[in-house]
Amino acid sequence: MQSKDSNPPDGGYGWVVVVSAFMVMGLTAAVLKTFGLFFVEIQQQFGELASTTSWITSVTIAIFHLGAPVASSLCARYTHRAVVITGGLLAFSGMALGFLGLNMVWMYATTGFLQGLGISFSWTSAISIVSHYFSKKRALANAIASAGECAFAFTFGPFFQWLICQYGWKGALLIIGGIQLNICVCGVLMRPLASSCLLEASCSEMETPPGNSASRTDNADKSPITHKPFNWMLARQPEFVLYAIFGILAAMSFFVPPLFLVPLSYSLGVDESWTASLLSILAMVDFAGRLLCGWYANLHVIKTIHLLTMAITLISTSLMLLPLANNYLSLAIFTGFYGFFFGTTVAVHITVLADVVGMPDFDSALGLFMLIRSTGGFVGPPLAGLIVDMAGDYRAGFYMAGATLVLSAGFLVTLDQLQQRKERGSQTNTKPKTPILPYLSLSLPKLQ
């Protein structure tokens, strides 16, 4: 099991962990984002409807979110290293078994369930251990790690397309599964932190005389090596509830723009080749936004929750302005603004979660947050699609996403006010009181 360190190193071997997490983000989330390239191939292979085939990706996304609490619980009981390696093996198994391509149900179980569980275990554990290794530089470390998703997604698109052309979709699945085995290598590099308390307990036990079994027993009882259970009681903390509601509303919005960006460009008469470049622009500015925001947050000029609130406000503004575009240039500009501020949000939202709940409960909070946030991801796209159908215009989906983000920013402001009120209350309670006895002694007449 994993011991927690009260003093994260904030560097040193932690940067090896960050690079490993960067790779894990690319081999999990980026694979999920580009899996749509297999959609038509699988649909034609089995002669199924588009709605039936889309369930492969839906199952993957669902298991990715639903498996997060399980991954967090396993991290608390064992080690992040063990869970990441397990996730890599599951991801490989899902792709390798999907290579057989027996039927659609088989694809649901392999590239859907197994792949989703592998991604959940690896992604959750990797982003969690980075937060344990860093404190002052946590925002920068999380930003660099999360940027792996953008870097790999930018290259995986053409690479996966080439694999499909050369080896067919089944052969491509097997090769991608082999590539995902590198998750296990990254997991091996994620060395568990040694607790200072654990070291002190070990030293005390070594200094105990061999015959003094009672003292050795006392040291064992005081050892911090305990199985830390998953803390479901976080759902009753007002701060976590407010942040979870923000997560739901944000997830409802974040899945909408990539869904309707291409159809909106087609409706404006933009050429197909130029439309494809919008997705590349989105990936590049997303990458830049994550790194720049992580660097800025590391300067500690403002609180991370204030930085997140500003980023969410600017995203909502860009989404409200994006439907005003009437040609490729204006569409590319607004898309760039959206992608950049989306990257800033991804860079710091995990850091804000750690600040809200504290590191002792961070593993449980991350799993529970992912689970709750998944409801927004499931509801958002269908709701936006319904609004688009009613309005008969793809612009309506962007307005819906922008309005939802404005509402989510309100919960961040409420959370910040609650935290400030508690901080002022704790400062008042800890402020030393002036003793009244000296004043009494001055006022009482001296006895002669």
Side-chain angles (χ1 to χ4, degrees):
M1 92 244 69
Q2 178 133 4
S3 56
K4 304 291 186 286
D5 196 335
S6 57
N7 297 309
D10 257 324
Y13 192 80
W15 294 116
V16 177
V17 175
V18 169
V19 173
S20 300
F22 178 92
M23 298 292 292
V24 171
M25 297 300 107
L27 295 172
T28 55
V31 171
L32 179 58
K33 290 177 69 172
T34 53
F35 192 78
L37 294 170
F38 292 86
F39 184 88
V40 176
E41 302 291 335
I42 296 176
Q43 182 183 9
Q44 293 178 351
Q45 174 72 28
F46 298 107
E48 297 287 351
L49 298 173
S51 58
T52 304
T53 308
S54 65
W55 273 103
I56 298 176
T57 303
S58 298
V59 170
T60 308
I61 295 175
I63 299 301
F64 169 50
H65 286 91
L66 296 176
V70 179
S72 297
S73 180
L74 291 175
C75 287
R77 183 172 180 84
Y78 301 103
T79 62
H80 294 83
R81 169 189 282 171
V83 181
V84 171
I85 294 174
T86 303
L89 294 174
L90 287 171
F92 163 74
S93 300
M95 288 296 196
L97 292 174
F99 162 77
L100 299 177
L102 301 181
N103 50 51
M104 192 60 70
V105 176
W106 179 262
M107 300 303 296
Y108 295 157
T110 55
T111 56
F113 181 83
L114 286 179
Q115 176 73 193
L117 194 62
I119 290 176
S120 180
F121 279 22
S122 302
W123 188 95
T124 305
S125 306
I127 205 70
S128 174
I129 194 172
V130 168
S131 295
H132 282 289
Y133 260 92
F134 291 86
S135 178
K136 294 180 180 179
K137 300 177 181 178
R138 184 176 295 147
L140 178 61
N142 279 325
I144 295 174
S146 67
E149 176 186 339
C150 305
F152 278 72
F154 185 75
T155 57
F156 273 176
F159 176 58
F160 286 2
Q161 190 66 59
W162 179 82
L163 286 178
I164 294 172
C165 293
Q166 294 294 320
Y167 304 100
W169 69 270
K170 292 184 179 180
L173 285 182
L174 185 60
I175 295 173
I176 294 170
I179 295 174
Q180 285 185 305
L181 278 176
N182 287 288
I183 295 174
C184 300
V185 179
C186 297
V188 171
L189 294 175
M190 293 179 178
R191 187 171 64 196
L193 278 170
S195 172
S196 57
C197 298
L198 177 59
L199 295 176
E200 292 174 2
S202 301
C203 293
S204 301
E205 185 174 353
M206 291 174 64
E207 294 171 359
T208 303
N212 195 346
S213 59
S215 298
R216 189 180 295 111
T217 303
D218 292 340
N219 287 332
D221 293 338
K222 295 178 181 179
S223 173
I225 306 177
T226 56
H227 295 300
K228 186 177 177 60
F230 191 90
N231 187 7
W232 292 99
M233 299 304 292
L234 286 169
R236 302 180 63 179
Q237 293 185 8
E239 294 91 343
F240 179 79
V241 171
L242 287 172
Y243 197 69
I245 296 174
F246 153 75
I248 293 173
L249 294 172
M252 287 179 62
S253 305
F254 287 158
F255 289 95
V256 173
L259 186 64
F260 295 124
L261 182 60
V262 172
L264 177 62
S265 66
Y266 286 158
S267 67
L268 295 176
V270 178
D271 186 74
E272 184 177 347
S273 58
W274 287 103
T275 299
S277 67
L278 291 175
L279 300 179
S280 298
I281 293 173
L282 194 62
M284 288 189 294
V285 295
D286 184 359
F287 181 83
R290 297 187 193 211
L291 294 183
L292 287 176
C293 184
W295 167 79
Y296 183 74
N298 190 58
L299 299 178
H300 301 286
V301 177
I302 61 175
K303 293 174 63 176
T304 51
I305 191 171
H306 295 166
L307 186 60
L308 179 60
T309 305
M310 287 190 294
I312 291 294
T313 304
L314 291 171
I315 291 177
S316 62
T317 302
S318 62
L319 286 178
M320 292 290 192
L321 294 175
L322 193 146
L324 301 179
N326 55 9
N327 53 45
Y328 172 80
L329 179 60
S330 56
L331 194 61
I333 292 173
F334 290 129
T335 298
F337 278 118
Y338 164 74
F340 181 84
F341 294 122
F342 174 79
T344 61
T345 301
V346 176
V348 296
H349 81 287
I350 296 296
T351 303
V352 174
L353 176 63
D355 295 338
V356 169
V357 300
M359 286 312 298
D361 288 321
F362 176 72
D363 287 335
S364 299
L366 180 60
L368 194 57
F369 178 75
M370 289 287 292
L371 177 64
I372 296 173
R373 190 183 69 171
S374 66
T375 58
F378 295 147
V379 173
L383 178 60
L386 177 62
I387 294 176
V388 167
D389 290 337
M390 294 174 61
D393 192 343
Y394 289 110
R395 294 179 176 86
F398 292 92
Y399 289 132
M400 169 263 177
T404 307
L405 280 176
V406 171
L407 184 60
S408 71
F411 283 93
L412 286 179
V413 173
T414 305
L415 171 60
D416 181 49
Q417 294 295 321
L418 179 62
Q419 288 181 317
Q420 290 185 17
R421 190 180 301 114
K422 285 196 172 185
E423 288 175 2
R424 288 193 296 267
S426 62
Q427 291 174 0
T428 303
N429 294 333
T430 57
K431 185 177 181 180
K433 297 181 180 180
T434 306
I436 195 172
L437 191 58
Y439 295 98
L440 291 175
S441 62
L442 289 174
S443 59
L444 291 174
K446 294 183 179 180
L447 297 176
Q448 301 295 333

